[in-house]
């Protein structure tokens, strides 16, 4: 393939992102911004670039299933990506005329390949236009059918079906292919929800209160991160589900609190707001560049209670000593299967063997947290995944290994209408937010040390 990019061209820009995701294990969300800059994509076309890039990734397996009957002989990998990208627009986007999509695809094929490739691309896309795409009804295996229909690997569908049943699995997989809501959290130390809505409206953004979290707003147009309201620290970008841990912690002003896996600081700054910026809040993370993000967030929002520090949560007892904290949040490293809507590449890069290794890390962090927590203190364990092994499995194993800890009800907003006894699993389809898990524990006696 010739590396002849078409400057300013949305589809060629989308193609180059998809090529990098497939061949260089690059992340689409990180590449998007760089590509907008390097291609000089006009502001009015950025939405389309995002839509066709993410849409093609989200529906990749479905698109391959649609293309398969039309592909004769061996086809170069880059040509397949170009065909996927073009077919996505023809099948899923009504507002773009099919002839325009075919024309653009042929131009890219000529520029990056040669006339022969262009005529293959033209032939395949015109045949699909003429004959349509095949149905999923020919697939008899229920797991394979959901896998192809929703473009999730079959092992993932089988795993979820074992954990939650087929119907719930299909609902979740379909939800994962929707566009995520754009949500922001109001910095309640600086503004009320009503004031933040007015500020955003004055900058021509529409914002409505979330049905899930009182200080959360759903923004229905524009880019909140580019507003003065954001710049001046009245709001921060955060998904609704990830606002739950700050509630479950039940912090109060003046407490000593630890956020053990804190970067980039969304939950840390929310905890600071719940503490009314009074007390001590340690924000720990492994990497210096990530800790810098916590500092930048805290500074923009005006939170002086946060003390960020670089360090390994698995060695935090050495660092802080035992029984030092009133509250601890362990928002642990996890498979991230709750955020597929935002990061569709996750579906294709995760492997089933990752889960056992992740649980060991989660347990190590929780073991440390149990020792760091004062008697009567509260520990919250959270993840942005839906996997039962990492969630309920890890939480139950931790309880079994720590008789000094007891499960308590996670104090979540009444607006959610959740009636539960302790462990809370939010699925993507429940509120349209990310998939998320929360478990809260209380320390009833000192930790026995070996």
């Amino acid at each position: 393939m010739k590396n002849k990019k078409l400057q300013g061209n949305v589809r060629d820009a989308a193609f180059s992102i998809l090529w990098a995701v497939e061949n260089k294990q690059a992340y689409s969300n990180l590449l998007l911004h760089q590509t907008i800059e390097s291609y000089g994509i006009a502001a009015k076309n950025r939405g389309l670039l995002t839509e066709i890039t993410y849409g093609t990734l989200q529906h990749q397996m479905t698109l391959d299933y649609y293309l398969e009957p039309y592909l004769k002989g061996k086809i170069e990998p880059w040509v397949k990506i170009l065909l996927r990208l073009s077919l996505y627009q023809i099948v899923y986007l009504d507002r773009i005329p099919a002839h325009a999509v075919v024309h653009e695809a042929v131009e890219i094929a000529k520029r990056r390949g040669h006339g022969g490739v262009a005529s293959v691309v033209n032939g395949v896309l015109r045949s699909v236009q003429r004959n349509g795409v095949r149905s999923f009804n020919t697939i008899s295996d229920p797991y394979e059918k959901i896998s192809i229909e929703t473009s999730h690997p079959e092992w993932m569908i089988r795993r979820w079906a074992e954990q939650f049943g087929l119907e719930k699995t299909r609902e979740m997989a379909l939800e994962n292919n929707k566009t995520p809501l754009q949500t922001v959290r109001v910095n309640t130390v600086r503004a009320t929800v009503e004031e933040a809505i007015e500020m955003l409206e004055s900058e021509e953004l529409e914002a409505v209160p979330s049905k899930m979290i009182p200080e959360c707003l759903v923004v229905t147009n524009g880019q909140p991160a580019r507003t003065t309201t954001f710049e001046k620290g009245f709001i921060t970008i955060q998904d609704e589900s990830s606002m739950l841990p700050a509630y479950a912690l039940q912090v109060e002003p003046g407490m000593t609190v630890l956020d053990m896996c804190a970067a980039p600081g969304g939950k840390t700054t929310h905890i600071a707001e719940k503490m009314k910026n009074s007390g001590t809040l340690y924000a720990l993370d492994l990497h210096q560049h990530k800790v810098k993000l916590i500092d930048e967030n805290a500074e923009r929002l005006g939170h002086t209670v946060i003390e960020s520090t670089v360090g390994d949560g698995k060695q935090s007892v050495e660092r802080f000593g035992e029984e030092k904290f009133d509250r601890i949040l362990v928002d642990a490293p996890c498979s991230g299967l709750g955020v597929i809507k935002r990061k569709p590449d996750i579906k294709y890069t995760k492997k089933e063997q990752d889960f056992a290794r992740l649980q060991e890390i989660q347990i190590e962090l929780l073991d440390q947290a149990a020792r760091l927590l004062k008697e009567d203190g509260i520990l919250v364990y959270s993840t942005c995944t839906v996997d039962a092994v990492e969630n309920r499995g890890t939480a139950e194993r931790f309880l079994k290994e720590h008789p000094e800890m007891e499960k308590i009800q996670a104090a979540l907003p009444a607006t959610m209408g959740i009636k539960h006894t302790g462990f809370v699993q939010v699925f993507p389809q429940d509120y349209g937010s990310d998939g998320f898990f929360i478990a809260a524990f209380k320390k009833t006696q000192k930790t026995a040390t070996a």
Side-chain angles (χ1 to χ4, degrees):
M1 178 185 69
K2 298 172 198 159
N3 191 17
K4 285 188 176 175
K5 69 181 191 185
L6 287 157
Q7 198 67 15
N9 184 295
V10 173
R11 288 164 183 87
D12 195 60
F15 168 82
S16 69
I17 296 172
L18 294 167
W19 177 251
V21 167
E22 187 141 317
N23 289 278
K24 300 173 187 168
Q25 277 68 58
Y27 290 111
S28 55
N29 58 328
L30 302 177
L31 277 172
L32 197 62
H33 182 67
Q34 295 165 13
T35 305
I36 284 168
E37 298 299 315
S38 69
Y39 266 80
I41 300 296
K44 67 175 195 284
N45 291 329
R46 287 171 190 175
L48 178 62
L49 174 61
T50 305
E51 186 175 12
I52 62 178
T53 303
Y54 279 123
T56 305
L57 273 173
Q58 278 170 330
H59 298 281
Q60 183 172 306
M61 291 167 66
T62 316
L63 293 165
D64 285 353
Y65 173 77
Y66 287 157
L67 280 169
E68 195 186 359
Y70 295 102
L71 300 180
K72 308 285 181 269
K74 198 161 164 46
I75 191 158
E76 287 186 67
W78 73 268
V79 180
K80 192 165 190 183
I81 290 172
L82 179 57
L83 286 168
R84 266 183 208 152
L85 171 68
S86 307
L87 188 59
Y88 169 73
Q89 296 165 77
I90 292 169
V91 174
Y92 293 94
L93 301 185
D94 299 338
R95 66 181 189 278
I96 300 175
H99 65 84
V101 174
V102 176
H103 173 75
E104 286 265 357
V106 169
E107 287 307 304
I108 293 169
K110 275 184 200 161
R111 196 173 177 93
R112 291 187 177 265
H114 50 77
V117 175
S119 90
V120 168
V121 166
N122 185 46
V124 169
L125 294 176
R126 295 225 179 270
S127 297
V128 176
Q129 255 186 290
R130 209 168 34 247
N131 304 322
V133 293
R134 59 180 170 164
S135 156
F136 305 119
N137 294 336
T138 54
I139 307 170
S140 55
D141 181 284
Y143 302 104
E144 188 191 347
K145 189 175 180 180
I146 294 172
S147 168
I148 297 296
E149 176 196 10
T150 66
S151 195
H152 285 64
E154 199 176 317
W155 71 261
M156 203 177 276
I157 296 297
R158 284 181 182 276
R159 188 178 177 97
W160 287 346
E162 279 166 26
Q163 294 175 355
F164 316 116
L166 260 180
E167 194 182 334
K168 197 158 202 166
T169 295
R170 183 172 179 271
E171 276 175 24
M172 176 157 59
L174 286 168
E175 179 70 31
N176 283 342
N177 290 338
K178 291 182 181 172
T179 306
L181 294 173
Q182 222 180 175
T183 52
V184 300
R185 190 186 78 237
V186 177
N187 178 1
T188 49
V189 175
R190 285 195 168 172
T192 64
V193 169
E194 291 73 24
E195 286 167 344
I197 290 173
E198 280 178 27
M199 287 178 210
L200 288 166
E201 282 177 353
S202 75
E203 299 193 63
E204 296 180 0
L205 272 73
E206 288 167 24
V208 293
S210 148
K211 294 184 176 74
M212 189 173 165
I213 309 277
E215 61 270 42
C216 175
L217 299 175
V218 179
V219 180
T220 53
N221 69 325
Q223 293 176 289
R226 294 184 170 223
T227 60
T228 308
T229 312
F230 175 84
E231 199 185 308
K232 296 205 164 158
F234 294 108
I235 58 166
T236 199
I237 312 294
Q238 194 181 6
D239 181 74
E240 290 170 287
S241 296
S242 67
M243 297 181 202
L244 298 174
Y247 276 86
L249 272 175
Q250 302 180 55
V251 293
E252 287 168 22
M255 282 185 167
T256 305
V257 181
L258 172 65
D259 185 351
M260 201 186 263
C261 311
K267 297 175 193 72
T268 317
T269 52
H270 194 196
I271 295 164
E273 284 151 32
K274 295 279 180 215
M275 292 169 74
K276 299 194 165 42
N277 202 26
S278 160
T280 311
L281 171 53
Y282 288 94
L284 185 68
D285 205 89
L286 259 178
H287 305 287
Q288 178 64 56
H289 68 280
K290 288 188 173 180
V291 169
K292 192 166 169 265
L293 294 175
I294 302 170
D295 293 339
E296 285 166 6
N297 265 320
E299 191 178 338
R300 183 178 57 78
L301 295 162
H303 300 329
T304 53
V305 72
I306 297 167
E307 291 192 26
S308 69
T309 177
V310 179
D312 185 349
K314 298 196 292 293
Q315 292 154 9
S316 44
V317 172
E318 260 175 62
R319 187 184 195 101
F320 296 107
E322 308 222 351
E323 315 238 335
K324 287 287 190 284
F325 295 97
D326 301 296
R327 302 284 187 268
I328 299 176
L329 171 62
V330 177
D331 184 55
C334 70
S335 59
L337 298 183
V339 297
I340 288 173
K341 213 188 278 190
R342 287 173 203 287
K343 299 176 180 175
D345 347 13
I346 286 176
K347 293 192 284 193
Y348 316 115
T349 54
K350 288 291 168 209
K351 301 282 176 281
E352 199 160 8
Q353 49 270 35
D354 295 344
F355 295 99
R357 182 182 52 82
L358 284 164
Q359 191 185 64
E360 291 312 313
I361 295 167
Q362 290 153 1
I363 287 290
E364 273 187 78
L365 291 166
L366 287 168
D367 288 346
Q368 291 279 306
R371 290 171 60 192
L372 291 164
L373 194 64
K374 292 178 186 174
E375 208 172 327
D376 289 327
I378 292 175
L379 162 63
V380 169
Y381 169 65
S382 64
T383 73
C384 59
T385 192
V386 292
D387 193 78
V389 170
E390 296 176 87
N391 292 342
R392 183 173 285 275
T394 295
E396 284 175 349
R397 181 176 152 190
F398 171 69
L399 271 177
K400 205 166 153 187
E401 293 172 7
H402 289 270
E404 77 281 16
M405 304 298 292
E406 69 175 27
K407 177 168 78 168
I408 59 169
Q409 191 160 317
L412 302 182
T415 38
M416 291 182 70
I418 286 184
K419 293 179 174 58
H420 58 81
T421 52
F423 300 155
V424 179
Q425 177 67 66
V426 174
F427 291 97
Q429 67 268 33
D430 292 346
Y431 301 93
S433 62
D434 290 346
F436 212 82
F437 176 80
I438 290 183
F441 309 97
K442 190 168 196 171
K443 188 169 184 175
T444 55
Q445 61 197 58
K446 288 188 185 302
T447 309
T449 45

